[in-house]
Amino acid sequence: MEKKIKIAGGHYNTVDSAYNILKLGGNAFDAAIAGVFSSMSCEYLYTGAASGGAMLVKKNGSSPHIIDFFVETPAINPAKVKDFKTIHADFGGTKQEFNIGVGSVGIPGTLPGLIQIHKNYGSLPFPVLVEQAVDLAKNGCSISKNQEYLSEVLSPVISSSETLKSIFTKKGSLLKEGDSFFNKDFGSFLEQFLYEDANKFYKHEVCPLFYNTVKEGGIVSLKDLQEYIPKKRDPLKTRYRNHSIFMNPLPSTGGRLINRGLDELRELNGVSRKDIERALYKIKTVKEKDMVGSTTHISIIDKENNIASVTTTNGVGAGFIIPGTGIMPNNMLGEKHLNPRGFHGWKSKQRIPSNICPTLIVDNNQNLTTLGSAGSSRIISAIISVITNLINNGMPLKEAISKPRVHLEGSTLHCEPHSNHLEYQTKNVVMWEEKSMYFGGVNACSLSDSVADERRGGVSV
């Protein structure tokens, strides 16, 4: 039987770019790089060229690894931080506080991460992987329903910059679903990767360009930017009901928390939403309100059964654009849940902890499923739900992802609509009227299927 490619991602153009690379003869790693570059335009508020992430990579016949290119703190703890301001996002009845400005920008890792992954795993020339993203940025891509929603929620971020407002509005109103999003400056920025050595261009041209803007925050040095190194890590591995599960290890917190939750559920032949609630209480996944979740994920299995599963995030963005580039940098130093010791309180250079968790499941017959989720704090509950639906409840991949989820936020349990009447442990239960992007966005591929999460308008091939 002919082997087929599988892709699941967060936007049509992201998936289409990856698919075109595979048709061109590229491998899963080439396709993932191309998909991430395209997502920087078509999923602008989720990710970007000054963001961070992690990719699970597995060559057929080899062990999996995690390539960690998440955002890092600068080397020196600043004596004084400039341009660090609080903004509130309105979710309708609930407001969330976060911090933006130049003082919120951490050391980005996505560009050096993609460059390193291409060097170690790619097969096509790097410029080929960037071409489609250049075209999308210059000629436009369609705003999705989720991008429309997120732009409304993050309107305080968008309105903090005249340049951001100019690309996100039409005739004075925010872009709506189906409108075209153009970022011609970003297209011109990316176009330079078509003609330059990617690594040298990043270190000697891009880093000084970034530094000229972010130095105003009094935190980031040029040396911090130029010396960023992606890390190849052994995954966190656990055995779960005759399956091996590989996840993002420390310093990321995602894999450790998911593993702790699975420990509570491994003996059950069937897992209910009440069981997941109990597991979430056990691991106490959420310490701060964290509702935005500007994150995206793409999973790919190519014809040779190579696997690339990558999550990237820009936080909510820092609320300004690096002049001439179309790039809004991350605001990871301004996210409360990522800075548990307080803002700007690190003692030495370190990766910022994160819940992102590209994941691989392998059963005893070597059947493979790779998945990951958007959704920040909901990444934990979303991945636990899908894993237990697949393994404990024996569901097919599509049902495992579509099944209603629960998420524990502090002492409040949020529930997607379902017909079963359950008595939950907590009395603070919020029943949602419909499925929502709030509950994450799991995109997954197995050897026989690919499924993208309807909650975030995902697309699969």
Side-chain angles (χ1 to χ4, degrees):
M1 185 174 69
E2 182 186 3
K3 293 180 180 179
K4 295 183 179 181
I5 61 177
K6 294 92 182 171
I7 312 171
H11 190 281
Y12 167 77
N13 291 126
T14 300
V15 171
D16 189 54
S17 295
Y19 179 63
N20 289 336
I21 291 298
L22 292 175
K23 286 196 301 181
L24 201 61
N27 60 29
F29 317 112
D30 294 318
I33 293 167
V36 171
F37 270 118
S38 291
S39 72
M40 294 173 186
S41 284
C42 61
E43 301 180 66
Y44 186 91
L45 290 175
Y46 291 122
T47 186
S51 65
M55 184 185 293
L56 184 146
V57 298
K58 185 184 184 305
K59 288 185 175 180
N60 189 18
S62 300
S63 299
H65 289 94
I66 295 288
I67 310 302
D68 171 6
F69 52 91
F70 201 69
V71 177
E72 194 166 71
T73 63
I76 299 174
N77 195 312
K80 185 177 181 181
V81 177
K82 302 174 184 177
D83 190 26
F84 187 76
K85 55 193 175 187
T86 300
I87 293 216
H88 294 87
D90 192 345
F91 293 83
T94 300
K95 291 188 177 181
Q96 182 190 352
E97 177 183 298
F98 51 91
N99 298 279
I100 63 173
V102 184
S104 72
V105 181
I107 310 303
T110 295
L111 286 180
L114 297 181
I115 292 167
Q116 187 66 44
I117 290 165
H118 174 261
K119 179 181 178 181
N120 293 342
Y121 300 95
S123 62
L124 297 180
F126 195 81
V128 175
L129 310 183
V130 184
E131 289 173 337
Q132 295 175 92
V134 171
D135 182 68
L136 286 170
K138 289 192 168 187
N139 296 319
C141 49
S142 180
I143 289 284
S144 68
K145 182 178 180 180
N146 290 309
Q147 284 282 328
E148 177 188 338
Y149 167 76
L150 200 58
S151 66
E152 292 172 355
V153 172
L154 297 182
S155 59
V157 177
I158 294 170
S159 63
S160 66
S161 160
E162 290 300 321
T163 313
L164 272 173
K165 279 198 293 186
S166 71
I167 63 174
F168 265 97
T169 56
K170 183 173 69 173
K171 295 180 179 179
S173 299
L174 287 170
L175 296 175
K176 302 296 183 184
E177 180 183 5
D179 287 339
S180 292
F181 174 80
F182 297 92
N183 192 351
K184 294 184 179 182
D185 281 350
F186 184 54
S188 297
F189 169 82
L190 282 182
E191 200 167 31
Q192 296 174 81
F193 281 99
L194 304 183
Y195 312 107
E196 304 278 355
D197 175 274
N199 188 56
K200 291 180 180 178
F201 176 65
Y202 179 76
K203 286 194 173 181
H204 302 303
E205 301 291 337
V206 177
C207 287
L209 182 64
F210 284 3
Y211 174 66
N212 285 337
T213 298
V214 299
K215 68 181 179 182
E216 298 300 325
I219 301 175
V220 176
S221 72
L222 179 59
K223 185 178 180 182
D224 288 324
L225 293 165
Q226 291 179 324
E227 292 187 349
Y228 181 96
I229 300 175
K231 302 287 188 181
K232 182 179 181 179
R233 305 188 191 278
D234 291 330
L236 172 65
K237 179 181 178 181
T238 187
R239 284 291 292 174
Y240 185 78
R241 296 177 66 87
N242 297 318
H243 293 71
S244 294
I245 302 180
F246 302 87
M247 296 175 286
N248 201 6
L250 292 172
S252 169
T253 55
R256 183 178 63 173
L257 293 173
I258 292 168
N259 188 41
R260 192 180 300 172
L262 292 176
D263 281 342
E264 297 296 311
L265 303 168
R266 66 176 70 247
E267 302 303 323
L268 301 179
N269 291 325
V271 171
S272 69
R273 285 174 291 275
K274 186 175 180 180
D275 295 323
I276 292 176
E277 179 205 13
R278 176 172 53 83
L280 294 178
Y281 259 114
K282 195 76 174 181
I283 61 180
K284 297 179 180 178
T285 55
V286 181
K287 297 180 181 178
E288 299 286 345
K289 286 185 179 288
D290 175 29
M291 297 187 68
V292 175
S294 301
T295 315
T296 189
H297 182 87
I298 181 169
S299 292
I300 301 173
I301 302 178
D302 66 19
K303 288 184 178 181
E304 303 303 319
N305 288 346
N306 298 309
I307 293 173
S309 191
V310 56
T311 310
T312 58
T313 178
N314 210 32
V316 298
F320 66 92
I321 284 181
I322 296 170
T325 69
I327 297 169
M328 176 169 61
N330 70 83
N331 75 317
M332 297 302 181
L333 300 184
E335 297 277 344
K336 281 187 176 180
H337 68 289
L338 298 182
N339 296 272
R341 294 187 180 92
F343 296 121
H344 309 106
W346 62 87
K347 296 181 178 179
S348 60
K349 179 180 286 191
Q350 59 186 330
R351 288 292 202 270
I352 297 172
S354 137
N355 286 330
I356 64 173
C357 194
T359 299
L360 175 66
I361 304 170
V362 185
D363 70 13
N364 285 343
N365 295 319
Q366 297 304 300
N367 293 310
L368 309 172
T369 301
T370 186
L371 68 151
S373 181
S376 200
S377 65
R378 279 90 60 219
I379 290 172
I380 307 302
S381 52
I383 291 180
I384 288 175
S385 294
V386 174
I387 289 175
T388 53
N389 282 337
L390 285 171
I391 298 176
N392 299 68
N393 298 335
M395 295 179 184
L397 188 58
K398 185 174 183 179
E399 184 181 358
I401 290 174
S402 179
K403 199 75 174 174
R405 296 180 192 146
V406 296
H407 174 72
L408 187 66
E409 190 81 29
S411 61
T412 300
L413 187 71
H414 294 263
C415 301
E416 288 189 312
H418 55 83
S419 56
N420 295 342
H421 214 51
L422 297 176
E423 287 292 328
Y424 292 106
Q425 180 175 331
T426 180
K427 300 301 181 184
N428 302 321
V429 178
V430 175
M431 297 301 300
W432 289 59
E433 294 182 358
E434 57 185 18
K435 292 179 182 177
S436 170
M437 66 176 291
Y438 172 78
F439 291 88
V442 177
N443 298 320
C445 298
S446 68
L447 293 180
S448 59
D449 203 2
S450 60
V451 180
D453 204 323
E454 62 200 89
R455 295 167 179 83
R456 293 193 174 221
V459 176
S460 62
V461 173

